[in-house]
Amino acid sequence: MSEQKDKGLQVQCFVKHDAEQIFTGDNVPRLLYVSRQRLDASRHPRIMHAHEDYTEVVLITEGASNYLVDHRQYAVKKGDLLVYNPGIVHDEVAGAGTEVETWCVAVGGLRMPGLPENALLRKDKGCVFRAGVLYEQMDTLCKMMFELLSGQFAGAATYCYGLMTSFLSMALAVAEHQDQSLIESEEEESVLGNRVKRYIDAHFREPLTLQTIADDLNVSTYYMAHVFKDMCGYAPMTYLQKRRIGEAQTMLIHTKKSISEIAYSLGYDAQSHFNLQFSKHVGMPPGEFRKQYVVSKQEK
């Protein structure tokens, strides 16, 4: 509302239409967490990972970076909204000049009509959007939820439920205006690239080699590697390492398993090799990552 319109003894904004009830029946979203990633923290990114039983909605509030979402590379920046349905593998590219500050809202309990359980959007809608005119409001809603939850206010969960449904409603409105011309149809090479991706996603805990992947998919190693890198921006074995490290981060955060248990469960035959790969991709060893993450949660 402009300053000119605000002039007067009293300003009222009337509701012109009845509210649309988006979340009804057994479609009752449940707020799992709200997290804040600072610019400096993004130098130690959450590597390639997916969530099987909830959706994450991420709002970029500062900076710019490159993200791999599903099988496409995106240049993201302030004002972008990212929606990760269950099973969508996502990865942040860290490095000088690629720091980002974000809000992340995780939601379970979704049963949107015609969609898989816990999914917010149809697959053909894409994953990355511009929040546009709703950016400021969405940023404010995230801040309010974060402050209520971190302050441990009595009734915080109840207050946050209304804020969350408003946030999700805005996310749906933003996605509704997605330019469908940005959704590319799959070509033959992309089909092969997705076959490779699905194979690695299903078997990354196993001792894979480039040759075993190619043999199981009945394709040549050279052609497979070329197509996959063109699609994802990573060589297949780099994708495999990042997928393992992303899963390791999830286990370090959400379980009490020892580092050696995590390493062996992800196909590493030596903890020293796992430690080396983890430090290479995250910028700190796994023990330090677990310690820093716990500290950051306590500081929220």
Side-chain angles (χ1 to χ4, degrees):
M1 185 177 292
S2 68
E3 291 183 6
Q4 183 65 33
K5 289 182 179 180
D6 280 343
K7 289 181 178 179
L9 295 178
Q10 181 173 315
V11 179
Q12 291 178 312
C13 294
F14 292 92
V15 177
K16 298 180 181 179
H17 305 284
D18 291 338
E20 180 184 358
Q21 300 298 317
I22 297 174
F23 304 106
T24 60
D26 62 353
N27 184 19
V28 183
R30 181 166 50 91
L31 182 62
L32 303 179
Y33 59 80
V34 179
S35 64
R36 181 64 161 165
Q37 176 178 272
R38 303 184 308 270
L39 281 172
D40 57 345
S42 67
R43 298 167 191 165
H44 306 289
R46 279 287 274 122
I47 302 297
M48 195 175 295
H49 64 291
H51 312 286
E52 297 305 323
D53 54 358
Y54 59 90
T55 283
E56 276 189 342
V57 184
V58 175
L59 184 66
I60 310 291
T61 56
E62 288 294 341
S65 186
N66 295 306
Y67 279 25
L68 177 71
V69 183
D70 202 5
H71 62 275
R72 294 183 59 190
Q73 292 274 359
Y74 294 89
V76 300
K77 60 183 178 180
K78 178 178 179 178
D80 282 346
L81 185 75
L82 298 88
V83 178
Y84 304 136
N85 276 345
I88 295 295
V89 177
H90 45 287
D91 181 43
E92 304 169 15
V93 179
T98 63
E99 296 89 355
V100 290
E101 187 172 84
T102 66
W103 290 115
C104 178
V105 178
V107 181
L110 288 165
R111 290 178 175 83
M112 302 293 288
L115 298 184
E117 187 172 355
N118 288 313
L120 181 65
L121 297 177
R122 298 197 320 265
K123 187 175 180 180
D124 64 356
K125 278 293 183 183
C127 300
V128 181
F129 315 93
R130 291 294 292 166
V133 296
L134 290 177
Y135 167 77
E136 295 291 345
Q137 288 80 4
M138 297 183 82
D139 182 34
T140 298
L141 288 170
C142 289
K143 182 178 180 182
M144 292 172 69
M145 287 187 285
F146 185 82
E147 290 182 348
L148 283 167
L149 292 172
S150 61
Q152 299 182 342
F153 291 99
T158 300
Y159 307 146
C160 285
Y161 179 79
L163 298 171
M164 173 198 63
T165 55
S166 295
F167 179 79
L168 293 179
S169 298
M170 290 182 183
L172 288 168
V174 167
E176 188 61 32
H177 292 87
Q178 166 76 37
D179 181 357
Q180 292 298 305
S181 66
L182 297 177
I183 308 298
E184 300 174 353
S185 60
E186 283 195 327
E187 299 178 354
E188 182 178 352
E189 290 188 347
S190 295
V191 172
L192 173 58
N194 272 310
R195 285 182 63 206
V196 177
K197 177 184 175 297
R198 286 193 295 269
Y199 184 92
I200 296 175
D201 287 341
H203 299 279
F204 67 87
R205 295 176 179 83
E206 303 169 15
L208 297 179
T209 67
L210 195 64
Q211 190 63 55
T212 58
I213 298 171
D215 289 346
D216 283 353
L217 296 179
N218 197 28
V219 294
S220 78
T221 54
Y222 175 80
Y223 182 61
M224 177 192 74
H226 172 75
V227 168
F228 187 83
K229 187 169 184 179
D230 276 355
M231 184 185 80
C232 282
Y234 297 124
M237 299 313 288
T238 301
Y239 182 92
L240 171 64
Q241 289 292 346
K242 291 175 75 69
R243 192 73 175 86
R244 286 174 171 172
I245 297 303
E247 185 66 18
Q249 287 179 304
T250 298
M251 295 173 75
L252 287 166
I253 293 167
H254 295 293
T255 77
K256 294 183 179 181
K257 289 185 177 181
S258 69
I259 293 173
S260 60
E261 287 179 300
I262 292 172
Y264 295 131
S265 72
L266 292 173
Y268 293 95
D269 54 9
Q271 184 181 331
S272 59
H273 180 50
F274 167 69
N275 290 347
L276 182 65
Q277 289 295 325
F278 193 98
S279 297
K280 173 184 175 182
H281 290 286
V282 182
M284 64 174 66
E288 184 65 18
F289 175 82
R290 173 176 268 172
K291 178 183 176 182
Q292 290 292 331
Y293 191 88
V294 171
V295 169
S296 67
K297 286 202 296 185
Q298 292 172 344
E299 290 176 348
K300 286 179 181 179

